[in-house]
Amino acid sequence: EAGVTQFPSHSVIEKGQTVTLRCDPISGHDNLYWYRRVMGKEIKFLLHFVKESKQDESGMPNNRFLAERTGGTYSTLKVQPAELEDSGVYFCASSRTLGETQYFGPGTRLLVL
Amino acid sequence: AQSVTQLGSHVSVSEGALVLLRCNYSSSVPPYLFWYVQYPNQGLQLLLKYTSAATLVKGINGFEAEFKKSETSFHLTKPSAHMSDAAEYFCAVSDPGGYQKVTFGIGTKLQVIP
């Protein structure tokens, strides 16, 4: 069974540009989560999808961040326009049902210059 | 609200020595507790989890953790460190009754000295 995959693994962009991160959850997992780790800080929750619906987006920093999960399969997280403080590692996780273990992807390392 | 405190952002142990990584949590409801590990250039991997069954939880690679409600602790231990244990370890908590978002500690980098 393939694990959670994320693309790209690294991204370096300039302030003001747009970046789109992609997450492919484990097949059959209805729950998809995005987390972010800013350097030196904790890994923090951003949002949670159940299938294609946003269940909880309380962790999204501001309206420059837009997450989608069309069709309930893969998800994208777009940052537009990117700011310096958006740099960090963005993790995606998925679980089959609520209460089951969340399996994490390798993360996307975003650097905004 | 839930929170996790990991004592020691960096821990060094000699190969063969006991590994002890400390974690204290705060939760208004009986929590689920986790330890995740991140090896260099890899994603987060679940080491073990506590979900209100046995208080002593055994995980992969010889690690175990004990849930102590009176101390609000969930420390991670391994009797004998291997070089391959060098990684960053994250303690985490979630609310079983909620939507399962996980709250992480800041992480502890474990260095194993030959």
Side-chain angles (χ1 to χ4, degrees):
Chain A
E1 180 182 77
V4 176
T5 57
Q6 293 187 243
F7 182 82
S9 59
H10 295 77
S11 180
V12 181
I13 62 172
E14 293 188 349
K15 175 182 172 180
Q17 290 186 320
T18 297
V19 63
T20 300
L21 313 181
R22 173 170 169 147
C23 168
D24 286 78
I26 294 171
S27 177
H29 282 199
D30 286 342
N31 294 274
L32 187 149
Y33 305 80
W34 283 98
Y35 294 83
R36 177 176 75 170
R37 189 185 193 194
V38 172
M39 187 181 295
K41 303 283 189 180
E42 299 91 337
I43 301 169
K44 292 210 168 179
F45 168 84
L46 295 179
L47 86 159
H48 169 212
F49 284 99
V50 177
K51 297 185 180 178
E52 66 274 11
S53 299
K54 290 177 187 175
Q55 197 64 59
D56 180 358
E57 51 185 331
S58 60
M60 293 288 264
N62 51 61
N63 60 10
R64 295 186 292 103
F65 288 74
L66 174 64
E68 295 181 321
R69 192 183 182 195
T70 307
T73 55
Y74 70 91
S75 174
T76 58
L77 180 64
K78 180 189 288 188
V79 185
Q80 180 182 29
E83 298 288 345
L84 300 180
E85 63 265 25
D86 300 332
S87 296
V89 182
Y90 290 76
F91 291 101
C92 177
S94 72
S95 67
R96 187 177 304 277
T97 62
L98 290 178
E100 289 197 1
T101 299
Q102 292 183 27
Y103 294 91
F104 281 77
T108 293
R109 284 150 184 79
L110 174 65
L111 179 60
V112 182
L113 302 175
Chain B
Q2 298 177 309
S3 66
V4 175
T5 302
Q6 290 185 243
L7 297 177
S9 59
H10 291 80
V11 171
S12 293
V13 300
S14 298
E15 191 174 15
L18 171 72
V19 176
L20 171 60
L21 304 183
R22 298 178 185 276
C23 172
N24 288 87
Y25 69 91
S26 172
S27 178
S28 57
V29 298
Y32 284 175
L33 292 160
F34 311 85
W35 277 98
Y36 283 89
V37 60
Q38 185 177 25
Y39 297 103
N41 302 314
Q42 295 186 28
L44 293 169
Q45 181 180 359
L46 181 69
L47 264 182
L48 49 81
K49 66 178 179 180
Y50 166 79
T51 57
S52 74
T55 56
L56 182 62
V57 182
K58 294 188 184 299
I60 61 172
N61 300 337
F63 284 92
E64 63 182 36
E66 186 172 9
F67 171 68
K68 291 188 177 180
K69 183 179 178 181
S70 61
E71 299 177 6
T72 60
S73 69
F74 192 57
H75 302 330
L76 182 71
T77 61
K78 181 174 181 178
S80 176
H82 293 173
M83 296 299 295
S84 59
D85 294 327
E88 191 162 19
Y89 293 79
F90 297 90
C91 183
V93 62
S94 75
D95 174 4
Y99 287 112
Q100 307 294 309
K101 69 181 181 185
V102 180
T103 300
F104 286 87
I106 201 161
T108 297
K109 287 187 177 177
L110 176 67
Q111 180 186 24
V112 182
I113 303 167

